[in-house]
Amino acid sequence: MLNQDQRTEHFRQSMRRLASTVCVISCKRDGERYGITVTSVTPLSFSPISILTCVNKSASISAPLKDEGRYCINVLRASQADVSNSFSGSLPPKERFGVGEWAEMDGVPYLPNAQASLFCEIDQAISYATHDIIIGGVTAAYFAADIAPLIYQNGSYAVAAPLALQKAG
């Protein structure tokens, strides 16, 4: 049987094999913008239209996000790795919005040139261990015509490409 450290490392290595789309969650509280890079975004339901994401409670966005309740999930393009890096800790929180072309809609910061932008209102925030599971009702969604999301897999950025499948003969 594996000890706790071994289970943790096996879990970490297993999750490196899970490819995830890279997103930046953004919000604004009291005139200050907050944002963080996440890969833990999952569609939840079409009725009501909802999505969930997980946010570490120690992240700078945690309290403002829950206090404000309105936010945007910016699904990044393959060409926006610099934005991802900025919001994943390479820059201090107050400097992150200097990377990318940000705008605001109804007081919520968003990337107009993202792969997609999902405007949400928090329906529920469920605390679990070190993270909050944020369930958001989607109030608006915008998307680019082309499909080229930024993917994170095995500790690196990647891109998605359709497989050319051959019919069995």
Side-chain angles (χ1 to χ4, degrees), residues 25 27 32-36 58-62 64 85-99 102:
I25 297 174
C27 71
E32 192 167 338
R33 297 181 293 181
Y34 297 86
I36 187 172
S58 68
S60 61
I61 196 173
S62 181
N85 288 333
S86 299
F87 284 83
S88 62
S90 70
L91 289 178
K94 292 186 184 285
E95 296 177 24
R96 294 175 182 174
F97 287 90
V99 179
W102 291 89

Side-chain angles (χ1 to χ4, degrees), residues 25-74:
I25 297 174
S26 56
C27 71
K28 187 174 181 181
R29 181 185 68 176
D30 298 331
E32 192 167 338
R33 297 181 293 181
Y34 297 86
I36 187 172
T37 299
V38 298
T39 54
S40 57
V41 173
T42 304
L44 185 58
S45 176
F46 283 108
S47 183
I49 299 172
S50 52
I51 192 162
L52 69 81
T53 189
C54 300
V55 176
N56 193 307
K57 293 176 188 177
S58 68
S60 61
I61 196 173
S62 181
L65 176 65
K66 290 181 286 187
D67 290 347
E68 177 56 33
R70 296 180 319 122
Y71 61 101
C72 184
I73 298 173
N74 301 276

Side-chain angles (χ1 to χ4, degrees), residues 100-127:
E101 297 176 24
W102 291 89
E104 287 190 16
M105 183 178 293
D106 298 324
V108 177
Y110 78 105
L111 280 168
N113 62 349
Q115 182 70 77
S117 299
L118 302 160
F119 290 86
C120 305
E121 292 182 0
I122 293 178
D123 185 46
Q124 290 184 45
I126 302 162
S127 178

